[in-house]
Amino acid sequence: MSASNLPQLEDLQGPAEIEILVNAFYERVKDDELLGFIFEKVAAVDWASHLPRMYAFWEKVLFRTGSYTGNPLAVHARLLPLTSMGRPQFDRWLEIFQGTVNDLFAGPNAEHIKNSASDMANVIYSRLNGVADPRFDPANLTPEQRLRYASYREA
Ligand code: HEM
């Protein structure tokens, strides 16, 4: 089948698609050699309560709706003394997240959720590890990021 015959991916439209994305993402995370045990063993995550929290979290990020309240920074800081939360772990987390989005969805919301995930991974990583946020070193900005951050400043 040629690429043009492949089914067109739809965008994330609302809570139903977020649920599909989050479920698929954590299925991959659970199987990952670098990250799986952090969720399953170190944090011994209760999936029945974590998954709905993550649906609500991403719904708020994407659509400004949903019931999420929480402090992701504090939650991840609790993991620091227990396991490595360094660049390799955050790079892998992001790679799996972006890969899951790309496999399932396409469109403006899919782009937005990937950009948000990348920004938040940078914030959490740098705050946790006490290093400068690499996004704010002008040497590291891509032209796309330069434009996007400028639009935040105008907002
Ligand atoms: C090395 C990468 C990461 C690891 C190993 C990790 C691991 C975890 C674990 C174990 C929990 C706690 C679950 C529980 O106890 O119920 C958690 C919660 C959470 N994570 Fe991550 N995480 C990572 C990166 C990220 C990133 C980049 C984001 C945001 C884009 C994120 C967003 C969240 C949120 C929103 C929660 C829920 C916090 C709450 O309970 O209010 N995580 N994460």
mmCIF file with all atom_site columns, all heavy atoms in Angstrom, residues 38-39 43 45 50 53-54 57-58 68 70 75-76 79 85 89-90 93 120-121 124, ligand 1:
data_model
loop_
_atom_site.group_PDB
_atom_site.id
_atom_site.type_symbol
_atom_site.label_atom_id
_atom_site.label_alt_id
_atom_site.label_comp_id
_atom_site.label_asym_id
_atom_site.label_entity_id
_atom_site.label_seq_id
_atom_site.pdbx_PDB_ins_code
_atom_site.Cartn_x
_atom_site.Cartn_y
_atom_site.Cartn_z
_atom_site.occupancy
_atom_site.B_iso_or_equiv
_atom_site.pdbx_formal_charge
_atom_site.auth_seq_id
_atom_site.auth_comp_id
_atom_site.auth_asym_id
_atom_site.auth_atom_id
_atom_site.pdbx_PDB_model_num
ATOM   1   N  N   . ILE A 1 38  ? 10.031 2.118  37.212 1.00 0.00 ? 38  ILE A N   1
ATOM   2   C  CA  . ILE A 1 38  ? 9.810  3.304  38.066 1.00 0.00 ? 38  ILE A CA  1
ATOM   3   C  C   . ILE A 1 38  ? 8.324  3.398  38.418 1.00 0.00 ? 38  ILE A C   1
ATOM   4   O  O   . ILE A 1 38  ? 7.955  3.676  39.563 1.00 0.00 ? 38  ILE A O   1
ATOM   5   C  CB  . ILE A 1 38  ? 10.295 4.604  37.372 1.00 0.00 ? 38  ILE A CB  1
ATOM   6   C  CG1 . ILE A 1 38  ? 11.792 4.508  37.036 1.00 0.00 ? 38  ILE A CG1 1
ATOM   7   C  CG2 . ILE A 1 38  ? 10.010 5.814  38.262 1.00 0.00 ? 38  ILE A CG2 1
ATOM   8   C  CD1 . ILE A 1 38  ? 12.372 5.764  36.373 1.00 0.00 ? 38  ILE A CD1 1
ATOM   9   N  N   . PHE A 1 39  ? 7.478  3.155  37.434 1.00 0.00 ? 39  PHE A N   1
ATOM   10  C  CA  . PHE A 1 39  ? 6.036  3.199  37.688 1.00 0.00 ? 39  PHE A CA  1
ATOM   11  C  C   . PHE A 1 39  ? 5.571  1.974  38.464 1.00 0.00 ? 39  PHE A C   1
ATOM   12  O  O   . PHE A 1 39  ? 4.827  2.088  39.436 1.00 0.00 ? 39  PHE A O   1
ATOM   13  C  CB  . PHE A 1 39  ? 5.280  3.294  36.344 1.00 0.00 ? 39  PHE A CB  1
ATOM   14  C  CG  . PHE A 1 39  ? 5.389  4.650  35.711 1.00 0.00 ? 39  PHE A CG  1
ATOM   15  C  CD1 . PHE A 1 39  ? 6.491  4.984  34.927 1.00 0.00 ? 39  PHE A CD1 1
ATOM   16  C  CD2 . PHE A 1 39  ? 4.423  5.618  35.904 1.00 0.00 ? 39  PHE A CD2 1
ATOM   17  C  CE1 . PHE A 1 39  ? 6.614  6.247  34.351 1.00 0.00 ? 39  PHE A CE1 1
ATOM   18  C  CE2 . PHE A 1 39  ? 4.533  6.876  35.332 1.00 0.00 ? 39  PHE A CE2 1
ATOM   19  C  CZ  . PHE A 1 39  ? 5.635  7.198  34.551 1.00 0.00 ? 39  PHE A CZ  1
ATOM   20  N  N   . ALA A 1 43  ? 7.437  3.516  42.319 1.00 0.00 ? 43  ALA A N   1
ATOM   21  C  CA  . ALA A 1 43  ? 6.270  4.274  42.779 1.00 0.00 ? 43  ALA A CA  1
ATOM   22  C  C   . ALA A 1 43  ? 5.084  3.348  43.043 1.00 0.00 ? 43  ALA A C   1
ATOM   23  O  O   . ALA A 1 43  ? 4.130  3.753  43.707 1.00 0.00 ? 43  ALA A O   1
ATOM   24  C  CB  . ALA A 1 43  ? 5.893  5.332  41.749 1.00 0.00 ? 43  ALA A CB  1
ATOM   25  N  N   . VAL A 1 45  ? 2.633  2.456  41.198 1.00 0.00 ? 45  VAL A N   1
ATOM   26  C  CA  . VAL A 1 45  ? 1.485  3.278  40.819 1.00 0.00 ? 45  VAL A CA  1
ATOM   27  C  C   . VAL A 1 45  ? 0.180  2.471  40.843 1.00 0.00 ? 45  VAL A C   1
ATOM   28  O  O   . VAL A 1 45  ? 0.131  1.345  40.365 1.00 0.00 ? 45  VAL A O   1
ATOM   29  C  CB  . VAL A 1 45  ? 1.720  3.854  39.403 1.00 0.00 ? 45  VAL A CB  1
ATOM   30  C  CG1 . VAL A 1 45  ? 0.446  4.414  38.822 1.00 0.00 ? 45  VAL A CG1 1
ATOM   31  C  CG2 . VAL A 1 45  ? 2.806  4.912  39.441 1.00 0.00 ? 45  VAL A CG2 1
ATOM   32  N  N   . HIS A 1 50  ? -4.265 6.558  38.823 1.00 0.00 ? 50  HIS A N   1
ATOM   33  C  CA  . HIS A 1 50  ? -3.326 7.394  38.051 1.00 0.00 ? 50  HIS A CA  1
ATOM   34  C  C   . HIS A 1 50  ? -3.892 7.723  36.664 1.00 0.00 ? 50  HIS A C   1
ATOM   35  O  O   . HIS A 1 50  ? -3.816 8.869  36.223 1.00 0.00 ? 50  HIS A O   1
ATOM   36  C  CB  . HIS A 1 50  ? -1.976 6.688  37.898 1.00 0.00 ? 50  HIS A CB  1
ATOM   37  C  CG  . HIS A 1 50  ? -0.945 7.486  37.152 1.00 0.00 ? 50  HIS A CG  1
ATOM   38  N  ND1 . HIS A 1 50  ? -0.519 8.735  37.577 1.00 0.00 ? 50  HIS A ND1 1
ATOM   39  C  CD2 . HIS A 1 50  ? -0.268 7.245  36.001 1.00 0.00 ? 50  HIS A CD2 1
ATOM   40  C  CE1 . HIS A 1 50  ? 0.394  9.202  36.717 1.00 0.00 ? 50  HIS A CE1 1
ATOM   41  N  NE2 . HIS A 1 50  ? 0.565  8.326  35.748 1.00 0.00 ? 50  HIS A NE2 1
ATOM   42  N  N   . ARG A 1 53  ? -6.400 10.519 36.613 1.00 0.00 ? 53  ARG A N   1
ATOM   43  C  CA  . ARG A 1 53  ? -5.726 11.800 36.893 1.00 0.00 ? 53  ARG A CA  1
ATOM   44  C  C   . ARG A 1 53  ? -5.046 12.317 35.637 1.00 0.00 ? 53  ARG A C   1
ATOM   45  O  O   . ARG A 1 53  ? -5.037 13.517 35.363 1.00 0.00 ? 53  ARG A O   1
ATOM   46  C  CB  . ARG A 1 53  ? -4.665 11.642 37.995 1.00 0.00 ? 53  ARG A CB  1
ATOM   47  C  CG  . ARG A 1 53  ? -5.219 11.531 39.391 1.00 0.00 ? 53  ARG A CG  1
ATOM   48  C  CD  . ARG A 1 53  ? -4.110 11.546 40.449 1.00 0.00 ? 53  ARG A CD  1
ATOM   49  N  NE  . ARG A 1 53  ? -3.590 12.896 40.705 1.00 0.00 ? 53  ARG A NE  1
ATOM   50  C  CZ  . ARG A 1 53  ? -4.246 13.843 41.346 1.00 0.00 ? 53  ARG A CZ  1
ATOM   51  N  NH1 . ARG A 1 53  ? -5.480 13.600 41.789 1.00 0.00 ? 53  ARG A NH1 1
ATOM   52  N  NH2 . ARG A 1 53  ? -3.701 15.026 41.536 1.00 0.00 ? 53  ARG A NH2 1
ATOM   53  N  N   . MET A 1 54  ? -4.444 11.410 34.877 1.00 0.00 ? 54  MET A N   1
ATOM   54  C  CA  . MET A 1 54  ? -3.730 11.840 33.673 1.00 0.00 ? 54  MET A CA  1
ATOM   55  C  C   . MET A 1 54  ? -4.703 12.244 32.558 1.00 0.00 ? 54  MET A C   1
ATOM   56  O  O   . MET A 1 54  ? -4.395 13.148 31.774 1.00 0.00 ? 54  MET A O   1
ATOM   57  C  CB  . MET A 1 54  ? -2.765 10.751 33.196 1.00 0.00 ? 54  MET A CB  1
ATOM   58  C  CG  . MET A 1 54  ? -1.664 10.418 34.184 1.00 0.00 ? 54  MET A CG  1
ATOM   59  S  SD  . MET A 1 54  ? -0.782 11.855 34.879 1.00 0.00 ? 54  MET A SD  1
ATOM   60  C  CE  . MET A 1 54  ? 0.026  12.509 33.424 1.00 0.00 ? 54  MET A CE  1
ATOM   61  N  N   . PHE A 1 57  ? -5.502 15.698 33.591 1.00 0.00 ? 57  PHE A N   1
ATOM   62  C  CA  . PHE A 1 57  ? -4.348 16.586 33.403 1.00 0.00 ? 57  PHE A CA  1
ATOM   63  C  C   . PHE A 1 57  ? -4.251 17.032 31.946 1.00 0.00 ? 57  PHE A C   1
ATOM   64  O  O   . PHE A 1 57  ? -4.184 18.228 31.643 1.00 0.00 ? 57  PHE A O   1
ATOM   65  C  CB  . PHE A 1 57  ? -3.063 15.851 33.826 1.00 0.00 ? 57  PHE A CB  1
ATOM   66  C  CG  . PHE A 1 57  ? -1.798 16.599 33.524 1.00 0.00 ? 57  PHE A CG  1
ATOM   67  C  CD1 . PHE A 1 57  ? -1.412 17.684 34.297 1.00 0.00 ? 57  PHE A CD1 1
ATOM   68  C  CD2 . PHE A 1 57  ? -0.973 16.213 32.463 1.00 0.00 ? 57  PHE A CD2 1
ATOM   69  C  CE1 . PHE A 1 57  ? -0.232 18.376 34.023 1.00 0.00 ? 57  PHE A CE1 1
ATOM   70  C  CE2 . PHE A 1 57  ? 0.205  16.898 32.186 1.00 0.00 ? 57  PHE A CE2 1
ATOM   71  C  CZ  . PHE A 1 57  ? 0.573  17.987 32.966 1.00 0.00 ? 57  PHE A CZ  1
ATOM   72  N  N   . TRP A 1 58  ? -4.265 16.084 31.029 1.00 0.00 ? 58  TRP A N   1
ATOM   73  C  CA  . TRP A 1 58  ? -4.091 16.431 29.615 1.00 0.00 ? 58  TRP A CA  1
ATOM   74  C  C   . TRP A 1 58  ? -5.306 17.157 29.050 1.00 0.00 ? 58  TRP A C   1
ATOM   75  O  O   . TRP A 1 58  ? -5.189 17.966 28.134 1.00 0.00 ? 58  TRP A O   1
ATOM   76  C  CB  . TRP A 1 58  ? -3.749 15.181 28.795 1.00 0.00 ? 58  TRP A CB  1
ATOM   77  C  CG  . TRP A 1 58  ? -2.342 14.732 29.040 1.00 0.00 ? 58  TRP A CG  1
ATOM   78  C  CD1 . TRP A 1 58  ? -1.945 13.575 29.653 1.00 0.00 ? 58  TRP A CD1 1
ATOM   79  C  CD2 . TRP A 1 58  ? -1.125 15.438 28.721 1.00 0.00 ? 58  TRP A CD2 1
ATOM   80  N  NE1 . TRP A 1 58  ? -0.569 13.515 29.722 1.00 0.00 ? 58  TRP A NE1 1
ATOM   81  C  CE2 . TRP A 1 58  ? -0.040 14.643 29.163 1.00 0.00 ? 58  TRP A CE2 1
ATOM   82  C  CE3 . TRP A 1 58  ? -0.849 16.656 28.112 1.00 0.00 ? 58  TRP A CE3 1
ATOM   83  C  CZ2 . TRP A 1 58  ? 1.295  15.040 29.009 1.00 0.00 ? 58  TRP A CZ2 1
ATOM   84  C  CZ3 . TRP A 1 58  ? 0.482  17.047 27.952 1.00 0.00 ? 58  TRP A CZ3 1
ATOM   85  C  CH2 . TRP A 1 58  ? 1.518  16.235 28.394 1.00 0.00 ? 58  TRP A CH2 1
ATOM   86  N  N   . TYR A 1 68  ? -8.510 18.476 36.737 1.00 0.00 ? 68  TYR A N   1
ATOM   87  C  CA  . TYR A 1 68  ? -7.191 18.240 37.336 1.00 0.00 ? 68  TYR A CA  1
ATOM   88  C  C   . TYR A 1 68  ? -6.757 19.360 38.277 1.00 0.00 ? 68  TYR A C   1
ATOM   89  O  O   . TYR A 1 68  ? -6.771 20.527 37.929 1.00 0.00 ? 68  TYR A O   1
ATOM   90  C  CB  . TYR A 1 68  ? -6.105 18.074 36.269 1.00 0.00 ? 68  TYR A CB  1
ATOM   91  C  CG  . TYR A 1 68  ? -4.741 17.831 36.905 1.00 0.00 ? 68  TYR A CG  1
ATOM   92  C  CD1 . TYR A 1 68  ? -4.414 16.576 37.402 1.00 0.00 ? 68  TYR A CD1 1
ATOM   93  C  CD2 . TYR A 1 68  ? -3.817 18.852 37.064 1.00 0.00 ? 68  TYR A CD2 1
ATOM   94  C  CE1 . TYR A 1 68  ? -3.196 16.346 38.024 1.00 0.00 ? 68  TYR A CE1 1
ATOM   95  C  CE2 . TYR A 1 68  ? -2.595 18.633 37.682 1.00 0.00 ? 68  TYR A CE2 1
ATOM   96  C  CZ  . TYR A 1 68  ? -2.295 17.374 38.163 1.00 0.00 ? 68  TYR A CZ  1
ATOM   97  O  OH  . TYR A 1 68  ? -1.098 17.144 38.791 1.00 0.00 ? 68  TYR A OH  1
ATOM   98  N  N   . GLY A 1 70  ? -3.356 19.541 41.039 1.00 0.00 ? 70  GLY A N   1
ATOM   99  C  CA  . GLY A 1 70  ? -2.267 18.732 41.573 1.00 0.00 ? 70  GLY A CA  1
ATOM   100 C  C   . GLY A 1 70  ? -0.966 19.482 41.419 1.00 0.00 ? 70  GLY A C   1
ATOM   101 O  O   . GLY A 1 70  ? -0.938 20.600 40.922 1.00 0.00 ? 70  GLY A O   1
ATOM   102 N  N   . VAL A 1 75  ? 5.211  15.696 42.955 1.00 0.00 ? 75  VAL A N   1
ATOM   103 C  CA  . VAL A 1 75  ? 5.059  14.248 42.771 1.00 0.00 ? 75  VAL A CA  1
ATOM   104 C  C   . VAL A 1 75  ? 6.359  13.646 42.232 1.00 0.00 ? 75  VAL A C   1
ATOM   105 O  O   . VAL A 1 75  ? 6.829  12.608 42.711 1.00 0.00 ? 75  VAL A O   1
ATOM   106 C  CB  . VAL A 1 75  ? 3.885  13.946 41.807 1.00 0.00 ? 75  VAL A CB  1
ATOM   107 C  CG1 . VAL A 1 75  ? 3.880  12.487 41.393 1.00 0.00 ? 75  VAL A CG1 1
ATOM   108 C  CG2 . VAL A 1 75  ? 2.553  14.315 42.455 1.00 0.00 ? 75  VAL A CG2 1
ATOM   109 N  N   . HIS A 1 76  ? 6.968  14.316 41.267 1.00 0.00 ? 76  HIS A N   1
ATOM   110 C  CA  . HIS A 1 76  ? 8.202  13.779 40.693 1.00 0.00 ? 76  HIS A CA  1
ATOM   111 C  C   . HIS A 1 76  ? 9.386  13.970 41.635 1.00 0.00 ? 76  HIS A C   1
ATOM   112 O  O   . HIS A 1 76  ? 10.304 13.156 41.642 1.00 0.00 ? 76  HIS A O   1
ATOM   113 C  CB  . HIS A 1 76  ? 8.463  14.401 39.318 1.00 0.00 ? 76  HIS A CB  1
ATOM   114 C  CG  . HIS A 1 76  ? 7.408  14.048 38.323 1.00 0.00 ? 76  HIS A CG  1
ATOM   115 N  ND1 . HIS A 1 76  ? 6.342  14.853 38.037 1.00 0.00 ? 76  HIS A ND1 1
ATOM   116 C  CD2 . HIS A 1 76  ? 7.228  12.929 37.578 1.00 0.00 ? 76  HIS A CD2 1
ATOM   117 C  CE1 . HIS A 1 76  ? 5.551  14.265 37.150 1.00 0.00 ? 76  HIS A CE1 1
ATOM   118 N  NE2 . HIS A 1 76  ? 6.063  13.092 36.855 1.00 0.00 ? 76  HIS A NE2 1
ATOM   119 N  N   . LEU A 1 79  ? 10.209 11.151 43.803 1.00 0.00 ? 79  LEU A N   1
ATOM   120 C  CA  . LEU A 1 79  ? 10.879 9.992  43.206 1.00 0.00 ? 79  LEU A CA  1
ATOM   121 C  C   . LEU A 1 79  ? 12.404 10.132 43.225 1.00 0.00 ? 79  LEU A C   1
ATOM   122 O  O   . LEU A 1 79  ? 13.135 9.148  43.117 1.00 0.00 ? 79  LEU A O   1
ATOM   123 C  CB  . LEU A 1 79  ? 10.423 9.810  41.754 1.00 0.00 ? 79  LEU A CB  1
ATOM   124 C  CG  . LEU A 1 79  ? 8.955  9.478  41.541 1.00 0.00 ? 79  LEU A CG  1
ATOM   125 C  CD1 . LEU A 1 79  ? 8.614  9.546  40.058 1.00 0.00 ? 79  LEU A CD1 1
ATOM   126 C  CD2 . LEU A 1 79  ? 8.625  8.099  42.095 1.00 0.00 ? 79  LEU A CD2 1
ATOM   127 N  N   . MET A 1 85  ? 16.234 10.177 37.827 1.00 0.00 ? 85  MET A N   1
ATOM   128 C  CA  . MET A 1 85  ? 15.281 10.986 37.057 1.00 0.00 ? 85  MET A CA  1
ATOM   129 C  C   . MET A 1 85  ? 16.101 11.995 36.254 1.00 0.00 ? 85  MET A C   1
ATOM   130 O  O   . MET A 1 85  ? 15.956 13.200 36.405 1.00 0.00 ? 85  MET A O   1
ATOM   131 C  CB  . MET A 1 85  ? 14.312 11.711 38.008 1.00 0.00 ? 85  MET A CB  1
ATOM   132 C  CG  . MET A 1 85  ? 13.368 10.789 38.769 1.00 0.00 ? 85  MET A CG  1
ATOM   133 S  SD  . MET A 1 85  ? 12.055 10.100 37.726 1.00 0.00 ? 85  MET A SD  1
ATOM   134 C  CE  . MET A 1 85  ? 10.950 11.513 37.573 1.00 0.00 ? 85  MET A CE  1
ATOM   135 N  N   . GLN A 1 89  ? 16.134 9.412  31.287 1.00 0.00 ? 89  GLN A N   1
ATOM   136 C  CA  . GLN A 1 89  ? 14.750 9.057  31.609 1.00 0.00 ? 89  GLN A CA  1
ATOM   137 C  C   . GLN A 1 89  ? 13.763 10.038 30.953 1.00 0.00 ? 89  GLN A C   1
ATOM   138 O  O   . GLN A 1 89  ? 12.747 9.625  30.387 1.00 0.00 ? 89  GLN A O   1
ATOM   139 C  CB  . GLN A 1 89  ? 14.536 9.053  33.133 1.00 0.00 ? 89  GLN A CB  1
ATOM   140 C  CG  . GLN A 1 89  ? 15.139 7.862  33.864 1.00 0.00 ? 89  GLN A CG  1
ATOM   141 C  CD  . GLN A 1 89  ? 16.669 7.941  33.974 1.00 0.00 ? 89  GLN A CD  1
ATOM   142 O  OE1 . GLN A 1 89  ? 17.278 9.011  33.858 1.00 0.00 ? 89  GLN A OE1 1
ATOM   143 N  NE2 . GLN A 1 89  ? 17.306 6.798  34.199 1.00 0.00 ? 89  GLN A NE2 1
ATOM   144 N  N   . PHE A 1 90  ? 14.059 11.336 31.032 1.00 0.00 ? 90  PHE A N   1
ATOM   145 C  CA  . PHE A 1 90  ? 13.141 12.310 30.433 1.00 0.00 ? 90  PHE A CA  1
ATOM   146 C  C   . PHE A 1 90  ? 13.140 12.218 28.902 1.00 0.00 ? 90  PHE A C   1
ATOM   147 O  O   . PHE A 1 90  ? 12.090 12.358 28.271 1.00 0.00 ? 90  PHE A O   1
ATOM   148 C  CB  . PHE A 1 90  ? 13.467 13.733 30.916 1.00 0.00 ? 90  PHE A CB  1
ATOM   149 C  CG  . PHE A 1 90  ? 12.853 14.002 32.266 1.00 0.00 ? 90  PHE A CG  1
ATOM   150 C  CD1 . PHE A 1 90  ? 13.552 13.713 33.426 1.00 0.00 ? 90  PHE A CD1 1
ATOM   151 C  CD2 . PHE A 1 90  ? 11.560 14.485 32.374 1.00 0.00 ? 90  PHE A CD2 1
ATOM   152 C  CE1 . PHE A 1 90  ? 12.982 13.919 34.676 1.00 0.00 ? 90  PHE A CE1 1
ATOM   153 C  CE2 . PHE A 1 90  ? 10.980 14.689 33.615 1.00 0.00 ? 90  PHE A CE2 1
ATOM   154 C  CZ  . PHE A 1 90  ? 11.692 14.411 34.771 1.00 0.00 ? 90  PHE A CZ  1
ATOM   155 N  N   . TRP A 1 93  ? 10.982 9.238  28.121 1.00 0.00 ? 93  TRP A N   1
ATOM   156 C  CA  . TRP A 1 93  ? 9.567  9.565  28.378 1.00 0.00 ? 93  TRP A CA  1
ATOM   157 C  C   . TRP A 1 93  ? 8.996  10.336 27.187 1.00 0.00 ? 93  TRP A C   1
ATOM   158 O  O   . TRP A 1 93  ? 7.934  10.014 26.656 1.00 0.00 ? 93  TRP A O   1
ATOM   159 C  CB  . TRP A 1 93  ? 9.461  10.396 29.674 1.00 0.00 ? 93  TRP A CB  1
ATOM   160 C  CG  . TRP A 1 93  ? 8.072  10.661 30.159 1.00 0.00 ? 93  TRP A CG  1
ATOM   161 C  CD1 . TRP A 1 93  ? 7.422  10.023 31.186 1.00 0.00 ? 93  TRP A CD1 1
ATOM   162 C  CD2 . TRP A 1 93  ? 7.145  11.647 29.648 1.00 0.00 ? 93  TRP A CD2 1
ATOM   163 N  NE1 . TRP A 1 93  ? 6.152  10.552 31.328 1.00 0.00 ? 93  TRP A NE1 1
ATOM   164 C  CE2 . TRP A 1 93  ? 5.963  11.544 30.400 1.00 0.00 ? 93  TRP A CE2 1
ATOM   165 C  CE3 . TRP A 1 93  ? 7.210  12.597 28.635 1.00 0.00 ? 93  TRP A CE3 1
ATOM   166 C  CZ2 . TRP A 1 93  ? 4.853  12.350 30.167 1.00 0.00 ? 93  TRP A CZ2 1
ATOM   167 C  CZ3 . TRP A 1 93  ? 6.093  13.396 28.392 1.00 0.00 ? 93  TRP A CZ3 1
ATOM   168 C  CH2 . TRP A 1 93  ? 4.935  13.267 29.163 1.00 0.00 ? 93  TRP A CH2 1
ATOM   169 N  N   . MET A 1 120 ? 7.004  20.805 29.205 1.00 0.00 ? 120 MET A N   1
ATOM   170 C  CA  . MET A 1 120 ? 6.881  20.389 30.612 1.00 0.00 ? 120 MET A CA  1
ATOM   171 C  C   . MET A 1 120 ? 7.992  19.422 31.006 1.00 0.00 ? 120 MET A C   1
ATOM   172 O  O   . MET A 1 120 ? 8.462  19.450 32.142 1.00 0.00 ? 120 MET A O   1
ATOM   173 C  CB  . MET A 1 120 ? 5.501  19.795 30.861 1.00 0.00 ? 120 MET A CB  1
ATOM   174 C  CG  . MET A 1 120 ? 4.441  20.888 30.904 1.00 0.00 ? 120 MET A CG  1
ATOM   175 S  SD  . MET A 1 120 ? 2.831  20.274 31.375 1.00 0.00 ? 120 MET A SD  1
ATOM   176 C  CE  . MET A 1 120 ? 2.354  19.460 29.887 1.00 0.00 ? 120 MET A CE  1
ATOM   177 N  N   . ALA A 1 121 ? 8.413  18.576 30.074 1.00 0.00 ? 121 ALA A N   1
ATOM   178 C  CA  . ALA A 1 121 ? 9.527  17.671 30.387 1.00 0.00 ? 121 ALA A CA  1
ATOM   179 C  C   . ALA A 1 121 ? 10.781 18.493 30.693 1.00 0.00 ? 121 ALA A C   1
ATOM   180 O  O   . ALA A 1 121 ? 11.523 18.190 31.628 1.00 0.00 ? 121 ALA A O   1
ATOM   181 C  CB  . ALA A 1 121 ? 9.782  16.710 29.221 1.00 0.00 ? 121 ALA A CB  1
ATOM   182 N  N   . ILE A 1 124 ? 10.217 20.170 34.251 1.00 0.00 ? 124 ILE A N   1
ATOM   183 C  CA  . ILE A 1 124 ? 10.299 19.214 35.370 1.00 0.00 ? 124 ILE A CA  1
ATOM   184 C  C   . ILE A 1 124 ? 11.742 18.718 35.509 1.00 0.00 ? 124 ILE A C   1
ATOM   185 O  O   . ILE A 1 124 ? 12.294 18.691 36.609 1.00 0.00 ? 124 ILE A O   1
ATOM   186 C  CB  . ILE A 1 124 ? 9.315  18.035 35.184 1.00 0.00 ? 124 ILE A CB  1
ATOM   187 C  CG1 . ILE A 1 124 ? 7.866  18.551 35.152 1.00 0.00 ? 124 ILE A CG1 1
ATOM   188 C  CG2 . ILE A 1 124 ? 9.474  17.018 36.316 1.00 0.00 ? 124 ILE A CG2 1
ATOM   189 C  CD1 . ILE A 1 124 ? 6.831  17.482 34.817 1.00 0.00 ? 124 ILE A CD1 1
HETATM 190 C  C1  . HEM B 2 .   ? 11.420 10.526 33.684 1.00 0.00 ? 1   HEM B C1  1
HETATM 191 C  C2  . HEM B 2 .   ? 10.195 10.867 33.321 1.00 0.00 ? 1   HEM B C2  1
HETATM 192 C  C3  . HEM B 2 .   ? 8.983  10.623 34.193 1.00 0.00 ? 1   HEM B C3  1
HETATM 193 C  C4  . HEM B 2 .   ? 8.736  9.636  35.095 1.00 0.00 ? 1   HEM B C4  1
HETATM 194 C  C5  . HEM B 2 .   ? 9.630  8.441  35.455 1.00 0.00 ? 1   HEM B C5  1
HETATM 195 C  C6  . HEM B 2 .   ? 7.447  9.898  35.681 1.00 0.00 ? 1   HEM B C6  1
HETATM 196 C  C7  . HEM B 2 .   ? 6.844  9.133  36.653 1.00 0.00 ? 1   HEM B C7  1
HETATM 197 C  C8  . HEM B 2 .   ? 5.690  9.450  37.320 1.00 0.00 ? 1   HEM B C8  1
HETATM 198 C  C9  . HEM B 2 .   ? 5.164  8.738  38.454 1.00 0.00 ? 1   HEM B C9  1
HETATM 199 C  C10 . HEM B 2 .   ? 5.776  7.479  39.050 1.00 0.00 ? 1   HEM B C10 1
HETATM 200 C  C11 . HEM B 2 .   ? 4.056  9.394  38.859 1.00 0.00 ? 1   HEM B C11 1
HETATM 201 C  C12 . HEM B 2 .   ? 3.241  9.110  40.125 1.00 0.00 ? 1   HEM B C12 1
HETATM 202 C  C13 . HEM B 2 .   ? 2.079  8.298  39.925 1.00 0.00 ? 1   HEM B C13 1
HETATM 203 C  C14 . HEM B 2 .   ? 1.409  7.982  41.252 1.00 0.00 ? 1   HEM B C14 1
HETATM 204 O  O1  . HEM B 2 .   ? 2.085  7.832  42.278 1.00 0.00 ? 1   HEM B O1  1
HETATM 205 O  O2  . HEM B 2 .   ? 0.195  7.880  41.245 1.00 0.00 ? 1   HEM B O2  1
HETATM 206 C  C15 . HEM B 2 .   ? 3.850  10.501 37.949 1.00 0.00 ? 1   HEM B C15 1
HETATM 207 C  C16 . HEM B 2 .   ? 2.793  11.374 38.011 1.00 0.00 ? 1   HEM B C16 1
HETATM 208 C  C17 . HEM B 2 .   ? 2.555  12.375 37.103 1.00 0.00 ? 1   HEM B C17 1
HETATM 209 N  N1  . HEM B 2 .   ? 3.343  12.698 36.021 1.00 0.00 ? 1   HEM B N1  1
HETATM 210 FE FE1 . HEM B 2 .   ? 5.137  11.876 35.565 1.00 0.00 ? 1   HEM B FE1 1
HETATM 211 N  N2  . HEM B 2 .   ? 6.915  11.032 35.115 1.00 0.00 ? 1   HEM B N2  1
HETATM 212 C  C18 . HEM B 2 .   ? 7.814  11.517 34.204 1.00 0.00 ? 1   HEM B C18 1
HETATM 213 C  C19 . HEM B 2 .   ? 7.677  12.603 33.389 1.00 0.00 ? 1   HEM B C19 1
HETATM 214 C  C20 . HEM B 2 .   ? 6.537  13.381 33.314 1.00 0.00 ? 1   HEM B C20 1
HETATM 215 C  C21 . HEM B 2 .   ? 6.356  14.502 32.419 1.00 0.00 ? 1   HEM B C21 1
HETATM 216 C  C22 . HEM B 2 .   ? 7.379  15.008 31.398 1.00 0.00 ? 1   HEM B C22 1
HETATM 217 C  C23 . HEM B 2 .   ? 5.091  15.005 32.667 1.00 0.00 ? 1   HEM B C23 1
HETATM 218 C  C24 . HEM B 2 .   ? 4.359  16.143 32.008 1.00 0.00 ? 1   HEM B C24 1
HETATM 219 C  C25 . HEM B 2 .   ? 4.382  16.377 30.723 1.00 0.00 ? 1   HEM B C25 1
HETATM 220 C  C26 . HEM B 2 .   ? 4.507  14.208 33.717 1.00 0.00 ? 1   HEM B C26 1
HETATM 221 C  C27 . HEM B 2 .   ? 3.257  14.401 34.260 1.00 0.00 ? 1   HEM B C27 1
HETATM 222 C  C28 . HEM B 2 .   ? 2.777  13.765 35.375 1.00 0.00 ? 1   HEM B C28 1
HETATM 223 C  C29 . HEM B 2 .   ? 1.562  14.151 36.071 1.00 0.00 ? 1   HEM B C29 1
HETATM 224 C  C30 . HEM B 2 .   ? 0.620  15.292 35.690 1.00 0.00 ? 1   HEM B C30 1
HETATM 225 C  C31 . HEM B 2 .   ? 1.419  13.277 37.154 1.00 0.00 ? 1   HEM B C31 1
HETATM 226 C  C32 . HEM B 2 .   ? 0.271  13.251 38.171 1.00 0.00 ? 1   HEM B C32 1
HETATM 227 C  C33 . HEM B 2 .   ? 0.594  14.140 39.337 1.00 0.00 ? 1   HEM B C33 1
HETATM 228 C  C34 . HEM B 2 .   ? -0.543 14.111 40.324 1.00 0.00 ? 1   HEM B C34 1
HETATM 229 O  O3  . HEM B 2 .   ? -0.791 13.066 40.933 1.00 0.00 ? 1   HEM B O3  1
HETATM 230 O  O4  . HEM B 2 .   ? -1.212 15.150 40.459 1.00 0.00 ? 1   HEM B O4  1
HETATM 231 N  N3  . HEM B 2 .   ? 5.402  13.221 34.078 1.00 0.00 ? 1   HEM B N3  1
HETATM 232 N  N4  . HEM B 2 .   ? 4.862  10.526 37.031 1.00 0.00 ? 1   HEM B N4  1
#
